[in-house]
Structure formats: C-alpha cells, structure tokens
Amino acid sequence: MAKPSLLPPRGERKPGERRSLTPQRPAFSIWYVLGLLLLLAVAQAVFLGTGGRSIPYSEFKALVRANQVTEVTVGDQTVAGKLKEPRGEGRQRSDAFMTTRIEDPKLVEDLEAHQVKYTGEVVSRWLPEILGWVIPLLLLVALWSFFFRRMGGAEGGVMSFGRSRAKIYADDDVKVSFADVAGVDEAEDELREIVEFLKNPKKYTVLGGHIPKGVLLVGPPGTGKTLLARAVAGEAKVPFFSLSGSEFVEMFVGVGAARVRDLFQQAEAKSPCIVFIDELDALGKARVQSPMGSHEEREQTLNQLLAEMDGFDSKKAVIIMGATNRPEVLDVALLRPGRFDRQVLVDKPDINGREAVLKIHVRTVKVSPEVDLRTIASRTVGFAGADLANLVNEAALLAARKDKTAVDMRDFDEAIDRLIAGLEKKRVMNETERRTVAYHESGHAIVASALPGLDPVHKISIVQRGFGALGYTMHLPLEDRYLRTRTDLQYQLAVLLGGRTAEEIALGEISTGAQNDLQRASDLARAMVTEWGMSDAVGAVSYAGESRGRFLEVGLAPERGHYAEHTAQLIDSEVKRILTEAHDLARTTLTARRAYLEVVTTRLLEREVMEGAELREILRAELPVPVAPEPDAPTA
Ligand code: ADP
Ligand code: MG
Ligand code: ZN
C-alpha cells in the first residue's frame, strides 16, 4: 500500500538547513586527555622498568652470598642485577632480576666480599615532576572547554578560538523558487525586482544607478520569510549566504564581529549573491543602556554589521536581506537609508492565499479527489503558511495511521481541529471576535470614505497579524501634506473613533480592540489643544513640554509643559469635548450608512480583505437606507 510521502524528496534540503563545506574538525574532548595519560603511563613503564624477575630482598642477599650475582645497579628505590645463570621458567627465564631496596648498610660490604660489580644510579625524576603539573593543567583545559561548549560557545570550541574561520556559509544552488511560495503576492512582487537586478546587475548599474542594499522581510512567524529569501536566491540563481541573528550572540566578545567580517568578505568574492540574516531582532535590538550593563558582544556584532553595510560598494551586486517578526525592537540605525531601507511586509495569507499554500503542500501528498482545498482554507482563519504546511502533514499522518490509501476530508477536518486547539493558545480569533473586528474595520473605512478631504482607503483587512493588531484599514495619501487644517484633524479623529462607534451601533457593545485607536485619538486631540492652539477656550498658546522624548528613546515619559492646575483642567475638558464631538460625527456618519456597514462587514467576513476600489463601489451602490446629507464641520 502506498503511504503518503511525508519527507522531502531525497537530495533536497529543507529550507533553513545549511551546508558547511569544510569537513567537521574532530571535537576536542576529554577523551584526548585520557588517551594522553595512558600514553604517559606506558612511557613510564618503558623508561623506569628495567625489567627482570622481581625477587625478595632476602633472596637477593642469599644469591649474593652464594656467589650467584655478577653485577648490580643500586638505584634510589630498587636494586637491579644480573645472575651467573638464568633462572625461571619459559618466557620468565632470564638472568636479570630486580628487587626493592631496603636500608642495608652492609650491602656494599657484602658485594665487595663476593666480587660483585656494582654501580649507583641517578634516577631521572623529570617524568613524575612533569606529570605532576601537566595532568592537572590538561584536566582544567578539558573541563573549561567542555563547559564553554555547553554554554553555546563557538563551533569548534576553545581550540578554534582566534583561528581564522574558514567556514563557508553559502548555498550555491538553492532549489526553492517563487512557485514554492504562495499567499504573499505583494511581497513576491516587490522581491521580483531584486531578482531582476541580481540576474543582470550590469544593466542597472551601467547608468550609475544604485540598487537597494538591504531588504527587510517583516511579518509574523511562519509566514514564509525565510522561504522567500531562499526563493529570491533560487530564482536569480545566485549563491545564498545565510546566518541567523541568534548565531552571532556567542561567548567570546569579538567572535560575532569577526564572523560578520568573514561573511561579507566571502560574499563580496562571490557577487552577485544574497546575504541573508535571519532573526535579525536577536542581533539588532535597540542598543539601550541598561542598568545591568549592555550586551557587549551583541553590540559589537551589530556595529560590525552596520559598518559592513555602509562600507559595501553599492555597485557590487550583493543584496543583504534580513527577516524579523519583531520590527519594533530593531535598532533604528539598521533601518536608515543605505541599510535595511526597504521593508517588505510578509503577512498571514487571506483565504485565497491559504488555498494556494495548501495547493503547494498537497503536491507531495496523496489526497483523495473529493478533498476541497477551498473549504479547508475557509476553515483555517488565522493560519500562517507554516501552520498550513503542518496541517497537510498532520492530515497525512492521520490517514497513514488508519491505513488509508489517500488523505480524505475527514483527516483534514480532524487535523484542523487538533491544530486549532493548539493555536487557540496563540490567540486565534473565534467567530464572534472576527465579527467584532469586521464591524470595527468597516466603521473606520466607511467614515474615512464618507468625510471629505481624507486619504482614500487603500485596503481593509481582518486577517490577523502578528503585531497585536487584529485587523487594519490602510490609507494611502494622495499627496504629501505638510499642513492640516482643524477640520482635517476633526475628520481624522472621527475616522479613528469610527471603529469603536461601529461596534456600538451594530453590536451594542464595545470591545478592547479599540484601545490603540483611543490612544491615538487622545494624543491627537491633546496635541490640537496644547501644541497647535486649535481650541478657542484654551486659546492660541503652546503648552507643549520641552522634550517630548527623542525618537524611540525608551523609558522617558514626555515632559509636561509648564502650566497651572486650572489650565490643566481646561486642557482636559477641551480634549474631552473634541473627542466627544468626533465620536458624535462618527456616529451620525455611520448611522446614516447603516446598510452599507452591514454589506461591507459581510463581505469582509467572507473575503477577509477588501481593496479600496471595491469599497467605493459598494458605497456608490443604491441601498435601501437613505444616505443622510453630509454633516457640517463641527466647530471647536
Ligand atoms: P518564517 O521564516 O516566516 O518564520 P518559514 O519561511 O521558516 O517562515 O516557513 C516555514 C515553512 O512553512 C516553510 O518551509 C514552508 O514549508 C511553509 N510556509 C510558510 N509560509 C509559506 C508560504 N507563504 N507558502 C508556502 N509555504 C509556506
Ligand atoms: Mg524564519
Ligand atoms: Zn481600529
């Protein structure tokens, strides 16, 4: 019976697996020390043991008196000698003998009396002495290296410390292509440009143009960032150098920095190529001064990376790619122009994306014809690419366990249930939560489209993202704006509160999902009052504090401006009034478009994402509920 194949075809490496081209150096271990000790013991036996039969001292004396002994060598602790005739049996038979020396003042007398040739012997003591300090030292070194390796020390351990690292990080023949990635079309489109460039760098640089140096893939875990980076290399057919940020954080200060230097040197020699730094956040965390002192090693490595990125000739066709699921902790220095200045969002797939990802992963599995991937996709809201890959594998395992010839829908259903139970812990939205989020985002979008002069809605999504946001409404500015009028800002506030208001209207209940909106709305309203003098009651005064905390500087609350207590009260009441008015504006706007709110929400629940154009089409269509006249701009 054919069982579904669960393993990647032979010869193909799993993504993320790296090949090391240098042979593995045998590890330094405690066995070396033991071996050495054994050798020394043998040496000692050879040097010290002069051989001969061991006999009692009394027998030796008797032999001397019986004139059987011809010569002796008196040592420090032993007496060795030769007999006139060999004694003993078989192999033991020999004329040499040995005995332990005993304090015997009359020995010389006896020897002279019986004409025995005798000499003294200087015993060489170098061996015991050297052993006395060499062995403890060797043991110490062995223990030391053993523990350092345990603590995640450098590959090759202590012995390779300071040696040049000839490790090669490249994969010259990546087999992954864009065909292996699905559901992240926008990211793919952006990366195609990079592929084009890598394929034909001359074409782009001949006119003196600069190509992007660093591309940062940002997205929740398991969405295919690592896979995409490899696919870029596979499509462009260029070597793929990769390192993971966590690998840099090593025991010895300076090793990580040396590695970065090494990596870039190798990459430069092999251009065009890709240098991929996975889990960049492990390395590129903002360099903050902590009371415990900074993580020196990580910082040195980060500084080296920044230096290498700056020092890199941008005409050299080396693209540096990074991946992270925590962009918010990255050091801003990494995101400056000339470094990772291009960011590509790799989001969780929507329903179409999930279907496409499933299609890729069932290629290697025997599925029965009745399996409907669309249905599976609709049941796996919130799954990332890796979750879907896992799902297919799990279903195949279940089918195999039941000795089926193909994976059927029941196996998939069971696998989904299992995975969802696991994912529940990771906060995947349930149906009620999805509905709330859908109303919320529709609210933002409808208010934004209804009020004049606002940035048009580009996209609405209720695909859960990894960064805390449950859904989002994206606006695309028509033009750069440097000035905003008070009316603009009041409309803006209505949009910010539109999500929460839609929840109130449709569900009669508000959720915690609006917290970020409220925060932003309050900040904006406060700035209108205290910084821009937009409240008539407070007047045209700026009460802004001196330092509002420099960009991304952590830990400091913005300083309060200098004003009296009653001014503070006035400011607070003005902020509240502005917010209340914005809330009212959002409510009238949405109540007048109640039917649209339902249509947009239903569509969002079905499709999870909606383009701005589709939204505008819905809003243009005639719906039973009359559209109220545009509300007048409120006065502040
Ligand atoms: P990330 O780096 O974003 O955490 P990976 O690239 O390591 O995710 O994805 C892990 C595995 O999950 C991939 O090897 C692939 O099998 C599967 N996978 C993830 N995303 C996708 C996708 N968009 N399309 C197809 N397979 C995917
Ligand atoms: Mg990854
Ligand atoms: Zn919102």
Side-chain angles (χ1 to χ4, degrees):
M1 167 187 325
K3 293 238 168 111
S5 150
L6 306 174
L7 297 169
R10 213 174 309 166
E12 207 177 281
R13 259 165 293 122
K14 275 184 284 164
E17 201 174 308
R18 198 171 352 100
R19 172 179 43 173
S20 167
L21 297 182
T22 42
Q24 198 77 47
R25 200 178 299 124
F28 177 79
S29 82
I30 200 115
W31 296 111
Y32 284 14
V33 178
L34 290 178
L36 198 67
L37 281 180
L38 198 75
L39 225 105
L40 286 173
V42 169
Q44 184 170 31
V46 169
F47 284 119
L48 293 184
T50 38
R53 253 177 352 118
S54 202
I55 56 172
Y57 194 76
S58 53
E59 194 185 333
F60 161 61
K61 286 289 277 215
L63 285 166
V64 171
R65 288 189 193 123
N67 286 325
Q68 288 295 312
V69 180
T70 55
E71 55 175 277
V72 294
T73 309
V74 182
D76 203 22
Q77 286 165 28
T78 57
V79 177
K82 281 214 169 102
L83 300 172
K84 275 200 179 115
E85 285 153 22
R87 291 181 170 221
E89 297 294 311
R91 275 188 160 213
Q92 298 259 309
R93 193 173 168 78
S94 125
D95 61 353
F97 71 92
M98 209 175 108
T99 182
T100 313
R101 189 180 155 179
I102 288 177
E103 199 51 46
D104 180 3
K106 295 209 352 227
L107 176 63
V108 176
E109 230 172 86
D110 277 345
L111 292 174
E112 298 219 310
H114 297 274
Q115 280 104 47
V116 180
K117 243 169 45 182
Y118 65 92
T119 59
E121 187 196 48
V122 181
V123 175
S124 129
R125 285 177 164 271
W126 63 270
L127 209 53
E129 267 169 25
I130 287 180
L131 286 179
W133 61 266
V134 163
I135 292 173
L137 193 82
L138 282 174
L139 277 174
L140 264 176
V141 169
L143 279 177
W144 187 54
S145 81
F146 180 72
F147 281 114
F148 270 50
R149 287 162 58 81
R150 264 300 159 83
M151 289 161 80
E155 279 159 64
V158 167
M159 301 310 265
S160 68
F161 177 56
R163 212 177 281 169
S164 107
R165 291 174 166 272
K167 194 167 179 336
I168 295 175
Y169 309 88
D171 189 343
D172 289 323
D173 186 21
V174 182
K175 288 278 180 347
V176 182
S177 75
F178 280 144
D180 300 308
V181 192
V184 284
D185 299 339
E186 279 170 41
E188 222 176 285
D189 287 344
E190 288 198 49
L191 291 174
R192 266 182 212 286
E193 200 186 326
I194 307 283
V195 173
E196 278 310 305
F197 165 72
L198 284 169
K199 270 186 177 161
N200 197 353
K202 289 254 167 51
K203 182 173 138 194
Y204 292 83
T205 49
V206 76
L207 298 176
H210 289 267
I211 16 73
K213 213 187 257 182
V215 181
L216 183 61
L217 303 175
V218 177
T223 46
K225 299 180 291 298
T226 309
L227 190 66
L228 265 173
R230 296 178 62 83
V232 171
E235 290 278 333
K237 300 194 173 55
V238 296
F240 184 72
F241 291 83
S242 78
L243 258 187
S244 169
S246 49
E247 282 174 47
F248 282 129
V249 188
E250 296 205 35
M251 275 315 293
F252 300 108
V253 172
V255 173
R259 275 195 168 189
V260 172
R261 218 174 302 128
D262 208 41
L263 173 68
F264 276 77
Q265 249 169 31
Q266 291 183 32
E268 201 155 1
K270 279 209 169 185
S271 95
C273 66
I274 289 176
V275 173
F276 178 57
I277 301 173
D278 210 348
E279 296 163 49
L280 190 63
D281 42 288
L283 175 66
K285 268 185 217 139
R287 292 165 289 188
V288 283
Q289 223 56 52
S290 82
M292 307 290 287
S294 51
H295 195 312
E296 193 139 340
E297 167 60 5
R298 205 195 64 218
E299 265 172 38
Q300 271 203 16
T301 312
L302 175 58
N303 288 338
Q304 185 67 39
L305 177 67
L306 294 175
E308 293 289 348
M309 287 187 84
D310 287 344
F312 230 67
D313 185 357
S314 62
K315 295 218 171 58
K316 278 254 163 65
V318 177
I319 302 271
I320 301 151
M321 295 182 80
T324 180
N325 46 34
R326 300 171 63 207
E328 68 282 354
V329 303
L330 286 187
D331 197 303
V332 267
L334 272 172
L335 308 176
R336 274 199 207 118
R339 293 167 183 169
F340 288 107
D341 46 4
R342 214 184 261 205
Q343 278 131 47
V344 174
L345 179 68
V346 187
D347 224 336
K348 285 193 181 171
D350 60 8
I351 186 166
N352 292 325
R354 289 198 296 272
E355 190 180 352
V357 174
L358 285 168
K359 210 171 269 168
I360 289 175
H361 288 284
V362 295
R363 281 189 311 209
T364 50
V365 172
K366 269 202 172 169
V367 287
S368 82
E370 113 277 351
V371 166
D372 181 18
L373 296 181
R374 182 79 186 176
T375 313
I376 299 172
S378 72
R379 280 202 57 200
T380 46
V381 175
F383 277 45
D387 300 325
L388 294 167
N390 194 10
L391 168 73
V392 173
N393 189 50
E394 189 85 3
L397 287 177
L398 285 170
R401 195 174 304 158
K402 292 175 198 151
D403 292 330
K404 293 186 187 172
T405 47
V407 189
D408 61 29
M409 207 60 184
R410 284 237 303 285
D411 302 316
F412 276 106
D413 279 339
E414 202 178 327
I416 290 173
D417 291 341
R418 284 179 174 216
L419 286 182
I420 284 181
L423 287 171
E424 209 93 89
K425 291 181 207 119
K426 286 203 248 162
R427 290 286 310 126
V428 165
M429 286 188 282
N430 64 28
E431 229 8 73
T432 330
E433 285 171 324
R434 278 185 81 226
R435 244 165 79 84
T436 309
V437 174
Y439 273 119
H440 181 104
E441 298 306 331
S442 306
H444 282 309
I446 293 176
V447 176
S449 313
L451 298 176
L454 290 168
D455 295 332
V457 174
H458 172 63
K459 191 175 172 186
I460 324 171
S461 160
I462 59 164
V463 179
Q464 191 181 10
R465 301 205 299 171
F467 320 129
L470 298 175
Y472 61 92
T473 304
M474 217 161 98
H475 304 269
L476 206 64
L478 282 183
E479 60 210 313
D480 283 344
R481 297 200 200 180
Y482 300 102
L483 286 175
R484 300 222 174 219
T485 64
R486 180 156 74 184
T487 313
D488 286 340
L489 291 176
Q490 279 158 343
Y491 287 167
Q492 189 76 51
L493 285 174
V495 173
L496 281 172
L497 296 177
R500 172 194 164 89
T501 312
E503 290 181 46
E504 277 167 22
I505 294 174
L507 304 166
E509 178 77 280
I510 43 179
S511 68
T512 53
Q515 190 225 349
N516 180 255
D517 297 337
L518 277 184
Q519 175 91 51
R520 281 170 61 199
S522 306
D523 287 349
L524 183 57
R526 186 163 292 272
M528 286 170 72
V529 176
T530 63
E531 284 177 45
W532 305 321
M534 286 179 173
S535 146
D536 295 332
V538 171
V541 188
S542 170
Y543 288 114
E546 281 304 325
S547 100
R548 288 178 59 87
R550 268 173 287 146
F551 185 48
L552 275 193
E553 199 172 286
V554 273
L556 286 176
E559 190 186 309
R560 197 187 98 153
H562 302 285
Y563 43 77
E565 201 50 47
H566 74 271
T567 315
Q569 277 174 19
L570 184 60
I571 290 173
D572 284 344
S573 73
E574 279 297 283
V575 168
K576 184 147 191 281
R577 187 183 54 79
I578 291 177
L579 286 176
T580 311
E581 279 175 13
H583 191 190
D584 291 343
L585 176 57
R587 189 178 305 117
T588 45
T589 310
L590 284 173
T591 313
R593 291 167 181 77
R594 185 75 175 82
Y596 293 111
L597 182 61
E598 290 301 328
V599 175
V600 175
T601 301
T602 312
R603 280 287 258 283
L604 262 185
L605 283 171
E606 271 167 27
R607 308 259 181 86
E608 298 174 4
V609 278
M610 188 187 282
E611 297 297 325
E614 193 186 351
L615 173 74
R616 282 183 279 282
E617 203 168 296
I618 295 176
L619 292 178
R620 266 199 302 273
E622 288 289 328
L623 285 180
V625 175
V627 177
E630 291 303 334
D632 292 330
T635 50

